[in-house]
Amino acid sequence: MTEIDTSVPHSARIWNYWLGGKDNYPVDEAAGDAYTAVYPGIVTIARSSRAFLGRSIRYLVTEAGVRQFLDVGTGLPTVDNTHEVAQSLAPESKIVYVDNDPLVLAHARALLTSTPEGVTAYEDLSLYEPEKILEAASRTLDLSRPTALILSGILGHVTDYEQARGIVRGLLAGLPSGSYLSLNEGSRGTDPDYEQAQDAYNETGAVPYFLRPIDQIAAYFEGLHLVEPGLVSVPLWHPEPAAEEPRPIGQHGGLGRKP
């Protein structure tokens, strides 16, 4: 197993810190605090992305009747993980998590809880190997039945945009008609302060995450039928009833159905 280096900050652990999780080290908290000092809104971005994931899964279970989930690039377990949301509504749901981060692997037991009726599995594989992911997922999921592919804030780590699109196409190609893609990513065109902060972060030598124009994020859904209201800033996608009107942020997401 690869050693976990606790002397340098790690994007998954920083994200975990912003979400209020405990699976991080002082170096991650320092990096997270340095980022929030420049752009405090990053905590809202992180938590809004997580909230969108939860709402999209609830829609998939209650409105679309989906009972199988393939969550690729899952990151560290925090609150309201995919299996927790899905199985709380439909205990028979089956979830396969995919990541190849040694820290996530170390915490896989926290992901591997499941209802007695359902299944939760973890596969240690790279995002860049769609065929291997589908092969591994088929050991737990029946890929002849509708399956929800979850890509939450992971494609920005793929430097080459066309390669990122190819990954999405490759994964969707192995899923049948009636499957869904739930995707949300950091976006350009809404919040210049976020863009400036993230561009500066990418130049520090840390693992970069690239914000992309909204039309490029929309292209991930090519060939799919978008669920209303389409691709929008994540707080605007099926918002919970709240006292305050949701405001757009630099994170866009949507849910698309494979015809």
Side-chain angles (χ1 to χ4, degrees):
M1 178 175 162
T2 308
E3 285 294 312
I4 297 167
D5 188 347
T6 62
S7 66
V8 294
H10 186 286
S11 59
R13 299 195 308 249
I14 297 170
W15 196 255
N16 175 269
Y17 174 55
W18 287 332
L19 285 173
K22 304 297 182 187
D23 296 317
N24 48 74
Y25 298 98
V27 66
D28 306 305
E29 295 183 15
D33 289 343
Y35 195 117
T36 56
V38 175
Y39 178 68
I42 190 61
V43 174
T44 299
I45 296 271
R47 296 182 180 182
S48 297
S49 169
R50 195 69 176 184
F52 165 82
L53 173 64
R55 295 195 305 277
S56 71
I57 293 168
R58 285 195 289 276
Y59 179 95
L60 286 162
V61 173
T62 61
E63 303 291 328
V66 173
R67 296 294 183 268
Q68 300 193 128
F69 297 83
L70 176 57
D71 188 335
V72 180
T74 176
L76 287 163
T78 50
V79 294
D80 295 334
N81 298 297
T82 297
H83 72 284
E84 292 171 330
V85 177
Q87 292 181 346
S88 71
L89 298 165
E92 70 277 20
S93 297
K94 296 180 178 181
I95 295 88
V96 173
Y97 290 106
V98 178
D99 211 309
N100 72 332
D101 184 304
L103 189 70
V104 178
L105 181 61
H107 288 81
R109 278 173 298 198
L111 289 168
L112 290 174
T113 58
S114 177
T115 56
E117 305 95 322
V119 180
T120 305
Y122 177 86
E123 298 289 347
D124 181 24
L125 289 167
S126 167
L127 171 69
Y128 298 91
E129 300 175 306
E131 290 182 4
K132 287 187 178 179
I133 289 172
L134 291 165
E135 181 185 353
S138 69
R139 294 195 286 266
T140 300
L141 309 177
D142 178 358
L143 296 185
S144 69
R145 295 177 53 226
T147 301
L149 171 63
I150 311 290
L151 295 168
S152 183
I154 186 66
L155 294 174
H157 288 301
V158 181
T159 305
D160 183 86
Y161 171 65
E162 288 304 325
Q163 185 176 24
R165 285 192 67 187
I167 289 167
V168 178
R169 283 195 296 266
L171 289 167
L172 286 172
L175 304 181
S177 173
S179 294
Y180 285 81
L181 169 64
S182 170
L183 178 147
N184 76 100
E185 288 289 328
S187 56
R188 292 190 179 276
T190 303
D191 187 342
D193 291 338
Y194 178 33
E195 295 165 26
Q196 186 175 354
Q198 187 61 38
D199 291 347
Y201 176 83
N202 287 350
E203 291 170 5
T204 65
V207 176
Y209 180 88
F210 298 97
L211 307 181
R212 293 198 160 109
I214 296 163
D215 64 335
Q216 290 190 357
I217 298 173
Y220 291 134
F221 293 94
E222 183 180 21
L224 305 182
H225 295 156
L226 279 165
V227 172
E228 290 294 330
L231 177 69
V232 294
S233 182
V234 291
L236 308 182
W237 197 90
H238 293 250
E240 304 283 359
E244 290 187 20
E245 193 73 21
R247 292 189 298 176
I249 59 174
Q251 187 85 10
H252 277 66
L255 185 64
R257 184 181 186 274
K258 184 174 179 178

